[in-house]
Amino acid sequence: MRTLFDEAGEDLRRLPFAELEARAKVCKLCRLSHGRTHVVFGEGPQPCDLVFIGEGPGEVEDQTGRPFVGRAGQLLDEILKASELPRESVYITNTVKCRPPENRLPARDEMEACWPYLEAQIYHLKPKIIVTLGNAPTQLLLDTQEGITKIRGQFFPWKNGIELFPMFHPSYLLRNPSKEKGSPKYLTWKDIQRVKARLHEHRNG
Ligand code: URA
Ligand code: URA
């Protein structure tokens, strides 16, 4: 996706990380700014070799200002913990930083409006691997219409040597709790193991 600029026509990648967050917190680039309680910028170490990108903040995230802290977030925490990838060791953010009303999916123009922030975050975080959770971030970053069921569980070369790995969204796993062989949860368990293994390969050169 092409680089977009903020209201002032500035390339946000030039800003220090803290300044970037401060700008996002007063952003009015799209309609989602009207309904928000808190901007949910993201959290985790900086830089960070593993970044997770979700869809957008839900109700609890909007109330607390933290990403993935509601039910889906608790499941994400469990998945991370069980794979010995502690939540504190990864960076977690979303395609849009403000809550879409009624928990609908972020619209394309909202994700595009928010892209300069996400792009600048990625630029500063310098991840080796980006995991996109669900259709919205996967389709945005890979610029594809392909559905998550088809493209999850594969490494895609993205930009600047970063690999992108799509996984099911934890909300989808909450709706599909079976752990049978071949189920979304089963596949997600396989997927996170692959992310972990690949990360180790990167870390060990
Ligand atoms: N779902 C998301 O996609 N992101 C969050 O931060 C919470 C729930
Ligand atoms: N649809 C989504 O958006 N995400 C999933 O993980 C599955 C279906």
Side-chain angles (χ1 to χ4, degrees), residues 40 53-58 61 66-70 72-73 92-94 133 169-171:
V40 182
I53 303 177
E55 293 165 348
E61 290 78 17
R66 297 183 57 207
F68 279 101
V69 290
I92 304 177
T93 188
N94 284 297
L133 296 168
H169 193 283
S171 301

Side-chain angles (χ1 to χ4, degrees), residues 55 105 133-136 148-149 167-169 172 175:
E55 293 165 348
L105 283 172
L133 296 168
N135 275 320
I148 188 73
T149 307
M167 293 190 7
F168 285 121
H169 193 283
Y172 182 71
R175 297 195 297 273

Side-chain angles (χ1 to χ4, degrees), residues 36-100:
R36 73 180 174 223
T37 311
H38 287 105
V39 172
V40 182
F41 183 69
E43 65 182 25
Q46 185 227 326
C48 191
D49 49 15
L50 180 57
V51 171
F52 286 78
I53 303 177
E55 293 165 348
E59 189 178 6
V60 189
E61 290 78 17
D62 177 63
Q63 281 163 9
T64 58
R66 297 183 57 207
F68 279 101
V69 290
R71 279 185 73 216
Q74 283 161 22
L75 180 54
L76 179 62
D77 287 357
E78 280 176 38
I79 293 167
L80 291 172
K81 198 170 165 194
S83 351
E84 292 164 1
L85 292 167
R87 178 182 170 117
E88 303 71 45
S89 71
V90 306
Y91 194 92
I92 304 177
T93 188
N94 284 297
T95 54
V96 295
K97 310 311 192 212
C98 300
R99 182 192 181 198

Side-chain angles (χ1 to χ4, degrees), residues 1-182:
M1 197 173 4
R2 72 206 155 87
T3 297
L4 298 166
F5 300 95
D6 80 339
E7 281 150 304
E10 194 173 356
D11 183 344
L12 294 176
R13 288 173 297 188
R14 291 174 195 220
L15 299 177
F17 206 72
E19 174 75 7
L20 180 68
E21 179 162 4
R23 289 281 184 102
K25 289 197 163 150
V26 294
C27 180
K28 293 204 167 89
L29 277 174
C30 87
R31 64 183 83 81
L32 296 182
S33 61
H34 304 311
R36 73 180 174 223
T37 311
H38 287 105
V39 172
V40 182
F41 183 69
E43 65 182 25
Q46 185 227 326
C48 191
D49 49 15
L50 180 57
V51 171
F52 286 78
I53 303 177
E55 293 165 348
E59 189 178 6
V60 189
E61 290 78 17
D62 177 63
Q63 281 163 9
T64 58
R66 297 183 57 207
F68 279 101
V69 290
R71 279 185 73 216
Q74 283 161 22
L75 180 54
L76 179 62
D77 287 357
E78 280 176 38
I79 293 167
L80 291 172
K81 198 170 165 194
S83 351
E84 292 164 1
L85 292 167
R87 178 182 170 117
E88 303 71 45
S89 71
V90 306
Y91 194 92
I92 304 177
T93 188
N94 284 297
T95 54
V96 295
K97 310 311 192 212
C98 300
R99 182 192 181 198
E102 318 297 334
N103 294 333
R104 65 161 168 77
L105 283 172
R108 178 81 196 187
D109 64 330
E110 294 159 355
M111 294 192 286
E112 285 186 354
C114 214
W115 170 246
Y117 297 108
L118 183 54
E119 183 185 42
Q121 282 174 302
I122 296 168
Y123 174 81
H124 281 287
L125 292 168
K126 309 224 177 311
K128 303 278 191 229
I129 301 171
I130 293 175
V131 173
T132 50
L133 296 168
N135 275 320
T138 304
Q139 294 176 347
L140 183 79
L141 270 73
L142 286 181
D143 194 18
T144 179
Q145 303 285 333
E146 202 67 78
I148 188 73
T149 307
K150 260 201 174 161
I151 56 174
R152 54 140 279 282
Q154 306 166 60
F155 285 99
F156 293 90
W158 193 61
K159 293 177 192 172
N160 305 322
I162 303 171
E163 293 186 291
L164 192 145
F165 189 85
M167 293 190 7
F168 285 121
H169 193 283
S171 301
Y172 182 71
L173 303 179
L174 288 171
R175 297 195 297 273
N176 295 273
S178 164
K179 291 183 181 168
E180 295 275 298
K181 193 168 180 187

